[in-house]
Amino acid sequence: MEIILTPFAWLLKAFYSFCGSYGLALVFFALVVKVVLFPLSLKGKRSMIQMNILQGQMQKLQKQYGKDRQRYNLEVQKLYQKEKINPMGGCLWSFIPLLILMILYPIIREPIHYMMGINDANSLNAIAQAVDWSTQAVNMGWIKEATDTFTNSAYNQLYLASIINENNLAAVQQAVTAAGGVGANVFSINFSLFGLVDLSQIPQLQFWTIAGVFGLILLHVISAVPGVVFTPIYMKTNVINKQSAQANNSTAKTMLILSPLIHLWIGFTMPAALC
C-alpha cells in the first residue's frame, strides 16, 4: 500500500506547496487521480456496452434452450468466446478504480504521516501533548472524552493536524524532535477553503451557523448534485437496443434517487476534506 500511496502523497504535498490551500490542493489532486483512473473506467464502460450489445442474442438463446439450463450455459459461453467478451469485465474494471480510491483515502485521513513524514507513536503523542489534544478534541466536539495519549485511528490524525497553527508550531517542532522525530518536517496546514469551510470538520445540522457549519453542509450538497445530473447521462450511454433501454429505465430511476442520498449520508459522517 505504501508503494502505491507514496507518489500520490508527494503529489498532494506538491499541490499544497504550490497553492497554499489544502482545499485547492485536493481539487487538483482529485483531477489528477481521475485522469490516472480514466483508462480503467473506460475499459469497464466498453465491457458493459459489449454486454448490452449481446442482450438480443442471449434472449434468443434463452428462448431456444431455456428449459435446458446446461445447454443454455454452454451456448452462452460459446457466444462469449466468439465475441471475445469477459462477462465479468465490466464489473471488474469498474471495481478497480473504486478500490484504488479507497486506498487513497488514508492520504487525506493521515496528513501528518503522508504530508509531513511523521507516523511513529512517540512523535504523534508529542504533537498531541504540545497542542493540548485532550482539551482541544473535547472542546471542538470531535471526541466526547479524550485522554492525554493520542490514538491514531479514524480521523484523529486529521483533527490533530488542524490544531497545529503558527502560534504552537515552534513548540510542536521541538516536541517532535525531543521524541526522536524530525521536527523540521512539521508545518501548519491551511484547512480553510476560501475562508468559508474548515475541511477538518464534520458537518452538523445547524443551518443557522452561517460561517462554518453552513459551508460544510453546502459543500456536501454541491458535491452530490453532479450525481443527479450525470446519472441519467451515464445510464443513457448504456442503451444500445430496446432491451437494454427497458432494463436501464428502472435502474436509472433508482440510481437517480439513491446515488445522491448515499453520497450525502456518507459525507455527513466524515470530515469535509474527504468530500
Side-chain angles (χ1 to χ4, degrees), residues 61 68-79:
L61 292 176
D68 187 349
R69 297 301 301 177
Q70 186 175 358
R71 178 66 184 276
Y72 169 73
N73 292 332
L74 179 61
E75 293 298 327
V76 169
Q77 289 298 322
K78 289 181 180 179
L79 179 61

Side-chain angles (χ1 to χ4, degrees), residues 197-247:
V197 181
D198 184 347
L199 297 177
S200 68
Q201 301 294 308
I202 294 178
Q204 304 293 326
L205 296 178
Q206 298 174 339
F207 294 96
W208 56 89
T209 308
I210 301 300
V213 174
F214 181 78
L216 290 173
I217 295 175
L218 184 62
L219 180 65
H220 286 76
V221 171
I222 291 175
S223 64
V225 168
V228 178
V229 175
F230 287 109
T231 296
I233 298 175
Y234 179 82
M235 299 305 295
K236 284 183 179 179
T237 59
N238 286 339
V239 175
I240 304 299
N241 48 45
K242 292 182 179 180
Q243 290 82 6
S244 62
Q246 293 174 353

Side-chain angles (χ1 to χ4, degrees), residues 109-113 119 150 152 155-161:
R109 289 196 302 107
E110 303 179 13
I112 299 177
H113 174 192
N119 196 44
F150 175 75
N152 188 22
Y155 309 112
N156 284 1
Q157 193 176 128
L158 179 62
Y159 301 146
L160 181 62

Side-chain angles (χ1 to χ4, degrees), residues 160-199:
L160 181 62
S162 70
I163 304 175
I164 303 174
N165 53 53
E166 296 301 327
N167 296 326
N168 58 30
L169 179 59
V172 170
Q173 291 175 333
Q174 292 176 3
V176 171
T177 301
V182 184
N185 288 349
V186 180
F187 59 93
S188 175
I189 299 177
N190 176 20
F191 284 102
S192 175
L193 180 61
F194 305 126
L196 299 174
V197 181
D198 184 347
L199 297 177

Side-chain angles (χ1 to χ4, degrees), residues 17-61:
S17 299
F18 173 73
C19 60
S21 168
Y22 192 64
L24 291 178
L26 285 178
V27 171
F28 295 137
F29 179 76
L31 290 173
V32 171
V33 170
K34 293 296 285 185
V35 169
V36 171
L37 297 181
F38 178 75
L40 298 178
S41 300
L42 182 61
K43 195 171 184 66
K45 187 68 175 178
R46 283 175 174 169
S47 296
M48 286 189 291
I49 290 176
Q50 288 176 325
M51 287 297 297
N52 281 331
I53 292 175
L54 294 184
Q55 286 298 314
Q57 298 182 55
M58 292 180 65
Q59 287 181 359
K60 290 181 181 179
L61 292 176

